[in-house]
Amino acid sequence: MKQVEEKEEASVYQRVVLKDASPYHYLKVRLVLEDESTRLSAVELKHFIITGLKTLFGEVGAALNFDVLKYDEDTLTALLRVYSRGLVTLWSSLTLLGSYQNKACAFRVLQVSPFLLALTGNSRDLQLD
Amino acid sequence: MLPTHDLDQTPRTLLVSESSSFLDPKNRVSAQVEQLRFNHQVSVLLPECSSAPSHLDSVLNSFSSFYLIRKLPVYELLDRHFLEAAVYHGAVYGLSYRTRIDEDNSIALTPNGHLTLSLDKDSFELLGFEGKPSRFNHRTATRFVVSVDLTDSSMAPGGRGYLRLLTGLTSRLQLQTDFLLSHHPGSGASLQSLLSRYDWSEHRPEVSCRVLSDLSCPALRSCDPHSLLEWLGAVDAGCHKIPSCHRSPVPTRRRRFVTVLTHLCSLSCRCYLEQPRLESWVSMTVHGFVDSPVSWGDREHGFLRGGENFYTLMMFHDHTYQLHLATGAHDACPP
């Protein structure tokens, strides 16, 4: 859904208000595994998330397009991008994904935003001690 | 299984994009960006240079330090001497440190003398002062906002409103929090009496610099705002996948702050642009605190899923600019 209000006085000045127009939502997630020495590659992570989508939502859910924009193998932290209308689908399947290769695991969703730029600065991580 | 139209519901997002010229006398960039008062990070992206220009460096290093006061009782912000020395002159501003706006009690003091307390239901009822239910309540009112103008005559020391709030904070609700306090340059002395009574530490903003090479850059002027912000976010986060056009070496500088005088920053970026070079643009992104009780003026801010409130200023060689102001669900529209 998108509403656009425009004020154009001269050729120079323009103001546009975009409501609910962000095509994507971005999630910063971390995978916490029971066996902390296990490592996954980016491809394995994506496959794992698709498996989770399929378990919860079936073939139609597994067809949801999402991207792994950045992945850090050491901390198992990833930046995911998904279409806005698929956010709830993806997020709920991450929440309910409980085991990887028969060992317990959990996805921690650290930050969610319609702007990728907002994910680069989180004041909740600010440590001044 | 839920019907798909329920799954399609995503929270409201709001992005205001303005384009104009610095040479236009009616441009209100300064007035607009000053309304985002509590900022914790500034990122500047400079194309085609391997090190930051010296005048930008000197501006970034000239920002005053800020203080972290441990376990500050909130009634100290109503102290008569503190009000007369600092608050009435508009010299100080502060925010509670590591309090979550959706879980804890948060306090903000803006430069214009407004004290905002965002309290949960029990704390609000204990305090016994006028307040309004938060705009971000879900079904029942669990959060309330007390907003007080300390410069108003009704809150003058000794007045009824002042005494009621002071009694509430000293005897009924002994609110205590770690507090980040900052001041305008030259006003540091006004804080000394407050600092001398509590455990405090001084901090300076830290600067980090990264040089990125072989970076692809889209057509910035004609790009739609969401794609532009996605590209800037991808550059800042160091993503592998960035939408591409052509290549140029692009350094970035990043800085963490309590508040930032962006006017000085943007002026020095404009000076940099006046020198001839191939790529003539500079981008500056300022991130606000996600847990600040106020955002964009003195209007209430909420966290909900992201709490984002930031703006990006893209400046071009010919004195034109694009200002993108973003905020999260249910916040008031940016100016």
Side-chain angles (χ1 to χ4, degrees), chain B residues 17-305:
Chain B
S17 295
E18 269 199 17
S19 53
S20 181
S21 166
F22 287 113
L23 301 175
D24 183 353
K26 287 196 267 183
N27 93 71
R28 11 171 236 135
V29 168
S30 297
Q32 284 170 292
V33 303
E34 267 165 16
Q35 291 194 34
L36 193 65
R37 304 192 196 275
F38 299 109
N39 307 302
H40 71 99
Q41 186 175 293
V42 179
S43 297
V44 178
L45 191 62
L46 302 156
E48 296 268 324
C49 76
S50 50
S51 62
S54 54
H55 48 263
L56 181 63
D57 244 343
S58 55
V59 165
L60 291 176
N61 287 319
S62 70
F63 290 118
S64 51
S65 48
F66 56 96
Y67 306 100
L68 172 60
I69 307 175
R70 297 283 184 193
K71 294 200 176 55
L72 177 75
V74 179
Y75 66 76
E76 286 283 0
L77 297 175
L78 296 175
D79 175 63
R80 189 184 295 253
H81 300 293
F82 179 67
L83 289 175
E84 285 165 6
V87 177
Y88 291 157
H89 300 292
V92 294
Y93 38 91
L95 188 65
S96 49
Y97 173 62
R98 294 186 81 80
T99 52
R100 298 180 164 217
I101 188 73
D102 48 351
E103 293 171 14
D104 312 317
N105 297 324
S106 298
I107 293 101
L109 176 66
T110 53
N112 57 1
H114 282 249
L115 180 67
T116 305
L117 309 167
S118 176
L119 305 170
D120 57 47
K121 188 161 187 279
D122 293 338
S123 304
F124 174 70
E125 287 172 355
L126 271 175
L127 180 65
F129 195 82
E130 296 98 62
K132 286 188 281 203
S134 164
R135 292 180 61 215
F136 298 87
N137 283 319
H138 185 44
R139 289 199 178 113
T140 54
T142 53
R143 183 152 281 274
F144 293 83
V145 177
V146 173
S147 186
V148 169
D149 182 359
L150 295 172
T151 57
D152 191 47
S153 51
S154 59
M155 290 301 296
R160 232 173 40 178
Y162 175 87
L163 287 172
R164 228 168 104 215
L165 184 60
L166 190 63
T167 318
L169 289 170
T170 45
S171 54
R172 290 192 294 268
L173 177 74
Q174 284 105 359
L175 202 54
Q176 212 181 46
T177 178
D178 290 346
F179 204 72
L180 287 168
L181 198 60
S182 189
H183 60 92
H184 286 310
S187 318
S190 55
L191 302 180
Q192 291 310 316
S193 63
L194 181 68
L195 293 175
S196 59
R197 296 199 285 275
Y198 296 97
D199 179 24
W200 60 275
S201 52
E202 187 174 353
H203 298 270
R204 284 205 57 82
E206 42 172 278
V207 190
S208 60
C209 188
R210 267 190 303 156
V211 180
L212 309 162
S213 49
D214 282 343
L215 203 64
S216 315
C217 169
L220 296 167
R221 283 193 195 262
S222 48
C223 211
D224 74 280
H226 283 106
S227 305
L228 174 68
L229 293 181
E230 184 185 53
W231 180 76
L232 285 171
V235 168
D236 219 359
C239 292
H240 315 302
K241 277 185 184 184
I242 302 176
S244 63
C245 175
H246 60 273
R247 294 165 175 250
S248 56
V250 180
T252 61
R253 288 183 70 87
R254 201 189 236 226
R255 182 138 182 158
R256 290 206 115 150
F257 276 88
V258 176
T259 55
V260 63
L261 296 168
T262 53
H263 187 58
L264 285 179
C265 221
S266 68
L267 276 180
S268 77
C269 288
R270 287 174 60 197
C271 289
Y272 167 80
L273 279 171
E274 274 158 19
Q275 296 156 33
R277 53 178 40 78
L278 208 59
E279 290 284 342
S280 323
W281 56 267
V282 175
S283 122
M284 182 174 78
T285 303
V286 177
H287 296 262
F289 274 90
V290 300
D291 290 311
S292 162
V294 294
S295 164
W296 297 118
D298 289 329
R299 286 166 296 176
E300 196 192 341
H301 172 66
F303 185 82
L304 290 181
R305 291 187 193 190

Side-chain angles (χ1 to χ4, degrees), chain A residues 12-16 18-20 26 67 69-70 81 84 112-114 116-117 120 123-124 126 128-129, chain B residues 10 12-13 15 17-19 70 97-98 102 203 230 237 240-241 254 287 290-291 308 312 334-335:
Chain A
V12 176
Y13 177 73
Q14 190 182 38
R15 178 182 167 95
V16 176
L18 298 160
K19 295 181 192 172
D20 304 333
Y26 305 87
D67 300 305
L69 295 180
K70 185 181 177 189
R81 176 177 79 168
S84 293
V112 178
S113 178
L116 182 54
L117 203 45
T120 61
S123 62
R124 289 189 169 185
L126 185 65
L128 291 172
D129 306 309
Chain B
T10 47
R12 199 182 88 138
T13 70
L15 179 64
S17 295
E18 269 199 17
S19 53
R70 297 283 184 193
Y97 173 62
R98 294 186 81 80
D102 48 351
H203 298 270
E230 184 185 53
H240 315 302
K241 277 185 184 184
R254 201 189 236 226
H287 296 262
V290 300
D291 290 311
E308 58 268 337
T312 297

Side-chain angles (χ1 to χ4, degrees), chain A residues 1-93:
Chain A
M1 183 181 63
K2 177 173 158 175
Q3 289 173 37
V4 173
E5 297 161 18
E6 265 185 67
K7 274 191 236 170
E8 203 168 325
E9 290 169 357
S11 56
V12 176
Y13 177 73
Q14 190 182 38
R15 178 182 167 95
V16 176
V17 179
L18 298 160
K19 295 181 192 172
D20 304 333
S22 180
Y24 298 105
H25 265 71
Y26 305 87
L27 296 100
K28 189 176 196 179
V29 300
R30 184 168 67 227
L31 179 59
V32 176
L33 295 165
E34 190 183 19
D35 176 11
E36 284 169 19
S37 58
T38 315
R39 287 285 172 264
L40 282 85
S41 68
V43 173
E44 286 168 341
L45 179 82
K46 187 157 182 183
H47 179 72
F48 180 43
I49 298 174
I50 294 174
T51 320
L53 281 164
K54 193 167 173 184
T55 313
L56 195 59
F57 294 106
E59 293 286 351
V60 172
L64 175 69
N65 253 331
F66 68 95
D67 300 305
V68 179
L69 295 180
K70 185 181 177 189
Y71 178 60
D72 182 355
E73 262 198 57
D74 299 320
T75 54
L76 297 176
T77 311
L79 279 177
L80 307 176
R81 176 177 79 168
V82 67
Y83 282 106
S84 293
R85 52 188 157 71
L87 172 69
V88 176
T89 311
L90 181 65
W91 197 349
S92 50
S93 67

